[in-house]
Amino acid sequence: MSDSKTKQTVDVLLEENRKFVPSKNFQAQAFYNNDSVYKDADSNYEEYWAQWAKKLDWISPWEKILEWKAPYAKWFIKGKLNACYNCVDRHVKNGKGSKTALVWEGEPTNDQGKPKDVLTITYDDVYLAVNKLANVYKSLGIKKGDRIAIYMPMIPEAIYAMLAAARIGAIHTVVFGGFSVDSLKGRINDAQAKLLITADGGFRRGKIIPLKSTCDEAVLDCPSIENVVVVKRCDNSIEMKSNRDYWYHDLVTNVDDFCPPEEMDSEDILFILYTSGTTGKPKGIIHTTGGYMTSVLATSKMVFDLTDDDIFWCTADVGWITGHSYIVYGPMANGVTQVIYEGTPDYPEKNRFWKIIERHKASVFYTAPTAIRAFMKWGVQWIDNIDLSSLKLLGTVGEPINPEAWIWYHKEIGKEKIPIVDTWWQTETGSIMISPLPGLTATKPGSATRPLPGIKAVVLNETGEELTEGGGYLAITRPWPSMLRGIYGDDQRFKDTYWSKWDGTYFPGDGANKDKEGYFWLLGRVDDVMNVAGHNIGTMEVESALVDHSSVAEAAVVGITDEIKGQAIAAFVILKEEISAEESLESELKEHVAKKIGAIARPKIIIFTPELPKTRSGKIMRRLLRDVAEGRALGDVTTLADPNVIQALKQKYEDK
Ligand code: WTA
């Protein structure tokens, strides 16, 4: 179908304000297909989660399901288990060792456009790899509770690195491979990691990302790092420091094939994952073992309707929570087959994702709205002649999906036949919280629909009163197993950020609208966190990176609407007195931010200004900056110390 024809259909479908009901066939085979599950779960949510927890293998059972002293929760008290055992060993023990766990596709292609590297990896293979790597960790002196930093491309070893850490009770902290030296350094130092595992490089859009050299620079300022383990992926030239750096392939040849899984308490830390906040310093979100594993096992099953025959493809990177919960721990605890892809969707051509679905017969596809909007822009000719009939379910995550993109996804990828699950959740929640159940829920394009069974989410106003309809703040009013257990090393910030708005109620920082049928429409962040292509970036982080440049005196950063990425970054910069605002400086500053934080934080526009609009108490009025950057009429300016500042800025922007 041509793009213009699609546009027409989208308009029609949206006008009808239609709901999309799962097909009879889908309903019949779905894991949940009776609405009573919501009520049942609600009547005793602790017991509901305990039933799910029983689907894990425990070394010893829990004595009590929940202890809740807000904001501190403990789930499955005194239960003992091992996350790696649950994702790997038990499948091997149950006779599924020869089942494919991972189909991995590297990015490089040959002259015919075929991938050069494809690996089919069974659960037996994963078992051997994680046992060996766990022994490598031990041989390097890593013990239970020690932190291991992982800075890897999307290769199978990234998954082994996480599971092997879990196997010996070490705490992993994965840092997205697109982050800069400073970002990597900051996270390693905050976590006080002893070991760093990386690769020589990773392939991305046809280029080699030199991960090891980034590590070398970072580790200079990371006194806690004792060793660096390096996977050979790209064969690019790198430096190896003797007595510190070791090749992965050398180390694994010298260790035993078996490493006993460590007995972990349900509340022992499984991992720390950093996420942006409203101050410059990222927050190390803590997740523990029993509750997290329960929630990701349960939600993978109920939301993606996974069965033994499914081939699941989540396009996230393991550097984000989505990769942790819906590549490593959730799907693997369920013992499913997954597709893993190293590179970008437009390499070598804009049909790479669809080719991968066709090649590996993926049945469930989970991606981000920003990707869907890019596909829309590239056009449907990239889908023509590709067989997508293996798909049974589609999902999205990371940001609100606009109804146009939802309909496009439904029509062009789902061929109007298969359900879409729009899943709302966060690094902090650990697992999906608000989402359709695909065999049950009538969906509305753009709405994540209802909280999952066992989850209690509401919309509150500023003073904490619940709204049955209308717009306010999203809140979660009772504990759930995979809730964050804190911010690493900063308990006060944990309380202030999430638990101080209303007493005992979790505040995610998102706005939400509830319609008259009780459907939730997520509206994005209400704080100073931007969401660029599904990734959280704090305005403060970018501001700190800008003022770090020798020419910058002051900076204010806002998120502005972007057609593809959802949001883009606009920066207002005051230069130091002797510096003139040249065009080359604009690109230099953009580059500086990308270097300080990572390419995802590169500002789209930079506006030089002699002053910033401030209130009388000196607070920058970002709302007005957003108005300027988006070319809108200015909102209320009466609280400004000097209203002329913003008028001049607006004029300047319009003249540009
Ligand atoms: C946003 C990603 C609307 C939201 C799993 C949240 C969404 C933040 C959705 C968390 C969705 C995520 N609809 N907004 N389906 N999913 N968000 O920690 O603002 O990287 O607070 O976790 O992304 O981002 P994070």
Side-chain angles (χ1 to χ4, degrees):
M1 183 181 275
S2 75
D3 288 313
S4 64
K5 198 135 173 243
T6 309
K7 172 91 182 65
Q8 279 171 19
T9 336
V10 166
D11 291 345
V12 171
L13 286 172
L14 281 178
E15 249 168 53
E16 285 174 353
N17 200 5
R18 241 179 79 180
K19 278 197 220 166
F20 295 79
V21 187
S23 71
K24 289 271 172 300
N25 284 346
F26 195 98
Q27 270 182 48
Q29 59 80 54
F31 181 76
Y32 278 143
N33 48 18
N34 189 331
D35 210 63
S36 61
V37 58
Y38 290 101
K39 239 177 104 204
D40 295 348
D42 227 29
S43 67
N44 189 346
Y45 75 97
E46 291 188 27
E47 187 50 36
Y48 174 76
W49 289 118
Q51 288 305 321
W52 275 108
K54 284 184 187 152
K55 295 183 200 292
L56 293 167
D57 283 15
W58 294 77
I59 300 164
S60 46
W62 58 87
E63 288 173 6
K64 194 174 166 212
I65 300 172
L66 172 66
E67 198 181 286
W68 175 230
K69 293 188 192 121
Y72 305 104
K74 288 185 183 161
W75 282 87
F76 311 115
I77 321 276
K78 296 214 169 127
K80 308 276 184 236
L81 77 167
N82 183 281
C84 177
Y85 181 94
N86 274 283
C87 291
V88 188
D89 301 41
R90 65 172 180 156
H91 308 313
V92 172
K93 290 221 160 73
N94 293 339
K96 289 203 326 192
S98 59
K99 179 172 176 168
T100 302
L102 311 171
V103 183
W104 174 77
E105 193 170 306
E107 192 190 72
T109 48
N110 63 19
D111 296 344
Q112 287 90 49
K114 294 256 168 358
K116 282 189 186 156
D117 313 303
V118 177
L119 293 174
T120 301
I121 299 163
T122 64
Y123 274 96
D124 278 337
D125 298 334
V126 177
Y127 180 80
L128 181 63
V130 296
N131 272 282
K132 279 184 164 290
L133 183 55
N135 278 328
V136 165
Y137 287 162
K138 280 187 168 173
S139 74
L140 295 172
I142 301 298
K143 298 198 172 58
K144 179 173 172 176
D146 286 344
R147 273 80 59 211
I148 299 178
I150 300 174
Y151 186 67
M152 296 272 250
M154 279 298 285
I155 56 178
E157 289 82 355
I159 296 169
Y160 306 157
M162 295 164 74
L163 290 170
R167 190 168 192 86
I168 62 167
I171 299 166
H172 59 69
T173 182
V174 185
V175 181
F176 172 57
F179 275 130
S180 66
V181 172
D182 281 355
S183 300
L184 176 61
K185 197 163 47 183
R187 286 159 174 80
I188 289 176
N189 286 335
D190 190 79
Q192 287 291 294
K194 276 174 84 170
L195 179 72
L196 171 59
I197 175 162
T198 187
D200 49 2
F203 290 103
R204 215 174 152 72
R205 201 164 280 127
K207 292 205 191 85
I208 293 175
I209 308 291
L211 297 167
K212 175 63 166 62
S213 63
T214 303
C215 289
D216 289 341
E217 232 184 299
V219 169
L220 288 177
D221 289 327
C222 297
S224 62
I225 293 289
E226 294 171 1
N227 293 110
V228 181
V229 175
V230 187
V231 177
K232 187 172 269 185
R233 164 65 185 130
C234 300
D235 224 355
N236 49 320
S237 114
I238 60 167
E239 276 173 34
M240 294 290 276
K241 191 172 170 205
S242 62
N243 296 325
R244 187 197 70 185
D245 302 351
Y246 298 97
W247 286 107
Y248 177 101
H249 58 258
D250 287 339
L251 294 173
V252 292
T253 53
N254 295 324
V255 290
D256 266 9
D257 287 355
F258 179 68
C259 170
E262 188 75 31
E263 184 175 305
M264 301 298 285
D265 188 87
S266 177
E267 283 299 331
D268 278 339
I269 300 180
L270 177 60
F271 65 84
I272 303 167
L273 182 63
Y274 286 84
T275 185
S276 291
T278 50
T279 69
K281 194 171 170 237
K283 302 171 284 197
I285 302 299
I286 298 173
H287 282 290
T288 56
T289 311
Y292 175 81
M293 288 303 293
T294 299
S295 289
V296 296
L297 172 104
T299 50
S300 299
K301 183 85 188 161
M302 69 175 99
V303 174
F304 301 116
D305 218 69
L306 297 176
T307 67
D308 212 25
D309 302 327
D310 274 309
I311 300 177
F312 181 63
W313 183 22
C314 165
T315 67
D317 189 283
V318 288
W320 310 113
I321 191 68
T322 307
H324 283 60
S325 300
Y326 299 107
I327 294 178
V328 182
Y329 292 109
M332 293 193 78
N334 279 287
V336 303
T337 300
Q338 295 186 82
V339 174
I340 311 286
Y341 169 56
E342 179 183 32
T344 57
D346 53 354
Y347 188 87
E349 287 192 303
K350 295 188 169 66
N351 58 8
R352 184 66 182 266
F353 273 17
W354 319 129
K355 291 255 184 192
I356 291 175
I357 292 175
E358 179 178 60
R359 197 158 29 239
H360 305 301
K361 302 195 168 38
S363 60
V364 180
F365 178 63
Y366 189 36
T367 197
T370 186
I372 299 168
R373 288 190 295 265
F375 301 141
M376 279 174 82
K377 190 169 155 212
W378 296 342
V380 291
Q381 72 273 19
W382 295 106
I383 308 162
D384 281 348
N385 303 320
I386 295 191
D387 179 7
L388 297 177
S389 62
S390 58
L391 290 171
K392 73 161 199 193
L393 179 66
L394 301 172
T396 75
V397 59
E399 52 181 315
I401 180 163
N402 47 315
E404 293 77 10
W406 194 105
I407 298 278
W408 185 92
Y409 199 30
H410 166 74
K411 229 185 133 35
E412 300 302 338
I413 309 305
K415 312 295 177 198
E416 292 184 56
K417 288 201 186 91
I418 62 179
I420 295 181
V421 288
D422 169 4
T423 63
W424 179 90
W425 59 295
Q426 307 177 296
T427 305
E428 294 87 340
T429 69
S431 64
I432 298 170
M433 304 293 279
I434 304 179
S435 164
L437 289 173
L440 204 56
T441 313
T443 50
K444 302 182 191 180
S447 166
T449 74
R450 297 163 65 181
L452 289 179
I455 301 295
K456 181 97 178 126
V458 294
V459 177
L460 301 181
N461 67 11
E462 189 68 41
T463 52
E465 285 152 348
E466 185 173 344
L467 306 175
T468 46
E469 207 188 317
Y473 301 104
L474 183 67
I476 300 164
T477 54
R478 71 182 176 212
W480 66 101
S482 64
M483 63 196 290
L484 75 165
R485 298 301 196 266
I487 294 177
Y488 196 68
D490 201 343
D491 199 48
Q492 194 55 45
R493 192 173 179 196
F494 168 62
K495 289 190 216 152
D496 293 347
T497 311
Y498 305 107
W499 302 97
S500 64
K501 196 165 177 73
W502 313 287
D503 207 20
T505 292
Y506 176 76
F507 173 51
D510 277 32
N513 217 332
K514 206 168 168 187
D515 71 18
K516 55 176 178 296
E517 290 176 295
Y519 280 54
F520 287 70
W521 299 75
L522 282 312
L523 302 172
R525 308 287 311 176
V526 294
D527 55 15
D528 290 333
V529 177
M530 300 170 288
N531 187 323
V532 179
H535 305 309
N536 288 341
I537 303 168
T539 50
M540 267 289 287
E541 265 179 287
V542 181
E543 286 165 7
S544 314
L546 283 165
V547 294
D548 172 77
H549 190 278
S550 58
S551 309
V552 177
E554 202 180 340
V557 164
V558 293
I560 54 169
T561 309
D562 183 90
E563 203 188 322
I564 303 289
K565 295 182 174 175
Q567 278 194 313
I569 298 174
F572 294 82
V573 170
I574 303 178
L575 293 172
K576 288 190 182 152
E577 251 168 43
E578 64 284 6
I579 311 285
S580 60
E582 283 164 33
E583 226 164 86
S584 62
L585 186 57
E586 190 175 325
S587 43
E588 193 181 316
L589 290 180
K590 288 180 183 174
E591 206 38 53
H592 185 73
V593 175
K595 199 158 179 292
K596 289 295 287 183
I597 305 175
I600 50 168
R602 187 193 307 268
K604 186 177 179 187
I605 42 178
I606 291 188
I607 298 158
F608 295 114
T609 171
E611 274 175 284
L612 287 165
K614 289 184 181 162
T615 60
R616 281 175 205 98
S617 60
K619 203 168 144 40
I620 295 171
M621 291 199 67
R622 287 166 205 284
R623 175 171 58 77
L624 295 176
L625 292 176
R626 268 191 294 270
D627 289 343
V628 170
E630 295 193 332
R632 280 195 301 259
L634 293 176
D636 184 6
V637 295
T638 50
T639 52
L640 280 177
D642 177 3
N644 293 326
V645 171
I646 192 76
Q647 293 300 348
L649 193 54
K650 190 167 162 57
Q651 196 55 50
K652 186 157 191 269
Y653 182 70
E654 279 162 8
D655 293 346
K656 201 178 167 186

